[in-house]
Amino acid sequence: MVLSKTASDSDESIHSTFASRYVRTSLPRFKMPENSIPKDAAYQIINDELMLDGNPRLNLASFVTTWMEPECDKLMMASINKNYVDMDEYPVTTELQNRCVNMIAHLFNAPLEDSEAAVGVGTVGSSEAIMLAGLAFKRKWQNTRKAQGLPYDKPNIVTGANVQVCWEKFARYFEVELKEVKLSEGYYVMDPAKAVEMVDENTICVAAILGSTLNGEFEDVKLLNDLLLEKNKQTGWDTPIHVDAASGGFIAPFIYPELEWDFRLPLVKSINVSGHKYGLVYAGIGWVIWRSKEDLPEELIFHINYLGADQPTFTLNFSKGSSQVIAQYYQLIRLGFEGYRNVMENCHENAMVLKQGLEKTGRFNIVSKDDGVPLVAFSLKDNKRHNEFEVAEMLRRFGWIVPAYTMPADAQHVTVLRVVIREDFSRTLAERLVLDITKVLHELDSMPSKLLAAAQQNGKNGKKTDMETQREVATYWKKFVSDIKTNRNKIC
């Protein structure tokens, strides 16, 4: 479903200069045209509009892969018309998916015997993977409570306030209370001790993040496991852990192999990872792996046969393309362990180049950690005259898309910029970005602080502290940027 907003009455038609050699009449923008147009004209009209999109490689807000090898592009185009769910008609594609599941399960140290198949499934992305994992936890918890004759109508999940919005969606869509551990300035991930304190008999799982969206930091899953084992022993509960490794699952095994976060820890029952992030595949592929068959309730698996042979399925989506599954298999066998390690090490090195360049300006505090997802999150040391939202907006003049955002509760007064380092972000681009950021800072230094003036105007009736003024400035600028985006995107 798309929540859309139409343009004004004066902008109801599409006009294309170059397509005029094929068609002179304008096309309705929100209604299907009555007549056909030449394919060349349709292509040109759409191509002209797409030119206004940002450059994906300069979109430093996104973790999603924006470049793959031409050979993989060919494989994807050759399979774009295959429906992934039709396993009987496309058995080889199904086999490739199963190989991917097993490769990823072994990468995450699943306790499998030599001939034992892993339990997992390919998804559209980590959002679907998290929904499936959450449903498995909810159903297993309910089954246990029913067997014990206990109430099973108030399930909850414990997470940090830094979780991605898909966890909030799961909680709301599937009626599970989301209990969030609040953050604090300087500590932007879930505190394992506080998380375990919030666990009760209705907790279906604790969700840990391997690679926070906010600053790339890995949460301490090992400490969480140890503390939760002790609490389970004291209470007689069996509260498990899910690891949201959307960003970090294809990083940690290659450059932090000694880090214990995966199925080596006994309470970790399921893990999700995004193949379209550091799995190095274009958008549209995620994976969820379970520790064992016992961790995925059988009643959640559907068996269908109207496409041919019996086909077990556990997905929220039904039809979807096969291209991303095939692309994931290509990357796994093409790169191997050595290749993935080289890519991740290179990303980490480029992140350090960017970090050092920003530190040399003397204008920023680095919020991200050296170990974790290769990204750099940073904030201005002094944002009283101009803030991070202004920096982000002015960087767009150079083509860079760098997000600025406020941290969740209770660190919402902290505003940061974040640059995600992907495989296609070179050292040269890192150095160029630092140069452009420096230019933006110099230009902002020469400009009057409209935001501070606005905040002071709002506070004429009462004296405000520096912190209150800073928060007002951040709120004012967020609204300003939001209004600009709304005006630019009258349709979505």
Side-chain angles (χ1 to χ4, degrees):
M1 178 178 68
V2 177
L3 302 178
S4 61
K5 183 177 180 181
T6 60
S8 63
D9 293 340
S10 61
D11 195 24
E12 291 182 344
S13 300
I14 301 173
H15 306 270
S16 178
T17 301
F18 290 106
S20 63
R21 66 177 58 190
Y22 308 110
V23 57
R24 292 296 302 276
T25 58
S26 60
L27 296 175
R29 190 180 294 267
F30 304 113
K31 295 180 181 179
M32 184 182 295
E34 290 295 328
N35 302 314
S36 302
I37 62 174
K39 62 181 184 296
D40 311 80
Y43 171 83
Q44 194 66 56
I45 289 170
I46 297 171
N47 187 63
D48 288 352
E49 286 206 84
L50 289 175
M51 287 172 61
L52 299 177
D53 268 349
N55 183 338
R57 289 190 61 182
L58 298 183
N59 179 9
L60 307 182
S62 178
F63 293 80
V64 176
T65 297
T66 53
W67 178 87
M68 296 186 73
E69 291 176 324
E71 290 78 7
C72 192
D73 288 345
K74 292 178 184 178
L75 285 171
M76 294 184 73
M77 288 306 300
S79 59
I80 201 167
N81 59 350
K82 292 182 180 179
N83 188 356
Y84 166 82
V85 76
D86 199 346
M87 301 175 186
D88 192 44
E89 292 298 320
Y90 308 119
V92 175
T93 300
T94 301
E95 169 65 15
L96 297 187
Q97 185 231 213
N98 293 340
R99 293 179 192 176
C100 289
V101 166
N102 280 273
M103 288 181 184
I104 296 170
H106 284 289
L107 189 66
F108 295 166
N109 295 292
L112 300 171
E113 301 295 334
D114 292 339
S115 60
E116 186 180 359
V119 180
V121 67
T123 61
V124 172
S126 273
S127 292
E128 183 188 5
I130 285 169
M131 302 287 173
L132 298 178
L135 283 171
F137 282 119
K138 181 181 178 182
R139 183 57 59 89
K140 189 169 184 181
W141 173 83
Q142 287 176 326
N143 290 344
T144 300
R145 298 282 290 183
K146 288 178 184 178
Q148 295 172 343
L150 298 172
Y152 53 89
D153 59 334
K154 295 182 179 179
N156 68 66
I157 285 181
V158 175
T159 70
N162 55 315
V163 291
Q164 215 264 357
V165 69
C166 58
W167 283 100
E168 298 177 36
K169 287 183 177 181
F170 167 77
R172 189 178 303 178
Y173 293 167
F174 296 102
E175 299 180 320
V176 176
E177 180 189 1
L178 193 66
K179 299 171 68 173
E180 294 184 342
V181 178
K182 303 302 181 184
L183 309 184
S184 59
E185 185 170 355
Y187 193 81
Y188 303 117
V189 292
M190 180 179 69
D191 184 328
K194 292 181 180 178
V196 172
E197 287 177 6
M198 296 176 71
V199 170
D200 59 31
E201 62 180 349
N202 294 319
T203 302
I204 64 175
C205 78
V206 180
I209 304 178
L210 195 76
S212 172
T213 300
L214 301 178
N215 68 344
E217 188 173 351
F218 292 168
E219 293 183 344
D220 193 339
V221 188
K222 175 67 164 62
L223 177 57
L224 175 65
N225 178 85
D226 294 346
L227 293 175
L228 198 51
L229 276 173
E230 184 62 29
K231 182 159 188 172
N232 285 344
K233 183 178 179 180
Q234 294 173 358
T235 60
W237 303 333
D238 190 23
T239 308
I241 295 171
H242 174 85
V243 179
D244 180 355
S247 299
F250 275 112
I251 296 172
F254 302 107
I255 56 178
Y256 309 112
E258 74 289 345
L259 183 67
E260 293 184 58
W261 63 273
D262 53 18
F263 292 120
R264 284 171 288 183
L265 304 175
L267 290 184
V268 174
K269 304 299 183 182
S270 56
I271 300 172
N272 70 276
V273 65
S274 292
H276 59 220
K277 292 183 180 177
Y278 288 94
L280 308 180
V281 177
Y282 292 141
I285 185 67
W287 304 93
V288 57
I289 312 295
W290 283 271
R291 184 183 192 89
S292 67
K293 293 179 181 179
E294 290 71 30
D295 297 306
L296 176 57
E298 177 64 30
E299 63 264 33
L300 293 178
I301 301 173
F302 287 81
H303 294 265
I304 61 172
N305 63 8
Y306 51 80
L307 292 176
D310 177 70
Q311 300 171 9
T313 175
F314 179 38
T315 60
L316 296 181
N317 295 282
F318 193 68
S319 295
K320 63 179 177 180
S322 298
S323 297
Q324 273 75 12
V325 171
I326 293 169
Q328 184 72 83
Y329 183 67
Y330 172 90
Q331 293 289 52
L332 291 172
I333 66 168
R334 160 75 175 94
L335 295 173
F337 195 93
E338 176 191 29
Y340 269 94
R341 183 181 60 220
N342 289 339
V343 170
M344 301 312 154
E345 287 178 346
N346 187 60
C347 289
H348 181 267
E349 290 168 6
N350 289 335
M352 293 302 100
V353 169
L354 178 60
K355 174 193 171 188
Q356 292 161 10
L358 292 171
E359 287 177 328
K360 285 181 181 179
T361 68
R363 302 287 294 272
F364 296 104
N365 292 315
I366 305 300
V367 176
S368 52
K369 307 294 184 182
D370 289 351
D371 294 339
V373 176
L375 62 79
V376 183
F378 53 103
S379 60
L380 287 165
K381 290 182 177 179
D382 182 2
N383 60 3
K384 293 178 181 177
R385 294 187 68 251
H386 300 284
N387 65 21
E388 292 81 0
F389 293 99
E390 288 180 273
V391 174
E393 185 67 18
M394 292 189 69
L395 279 172
R396 285 179 175 266
R397 292 167 43 193
F398 296 92
W400 302 107
I401 301 174
V402 177
Y405 51 88
T406 54
M407 290 292 191
D410 285 330
Q412 60 266 38
H413 60 282
V414 179
T415 307
V416 300
L417 295 149
R418 187 197 68 210
V419 174
V420 178
I421 309 300
R422 302 187 301 268
E423 181 186 10
D424 58 356
F425 187 83
S426 65
R427 178 169 183 159
T428 301
L429 286 177
E431 293 169 345
R432 183 72 213 185
L433 177 58
V434 172
L435 181 62
D436 289 342
I437 289 175
T438 303
K439 290 179 181 178
V440 165
L441 292 174
H442 287 163
E443 188 168 347
L444 284 173
D445 288 343
S446 66
M447 296 170 59
S449 179
K450 297 179 181 178
L451 303 176
L452 185 57
Q456 291 173 341
Q457 180 67 28
N458 292 336
K460 275 186 175 180
N461 296 330
K463 188 175 181 181
K464 295 184 180 297
T465 65
D466 289 344
M467 182 63 70
E468 289 173 330
T469 300
Q470 182 178 338
R471 287 175 176 171
E472 282 195 7
V473 169
T475 301
Y476 176 92
W477 187 255
K478 280 195 292 184
K479 183 179 184 304
F480 178 74
V481 173
S482 177
D483 290 343
I484 290 177
K485 290 180 179 179
T486 300
N487 291 332
R488 283 181 178 175
N489 302 296
K490 291 185 177 179
I491 59 173
C492 66

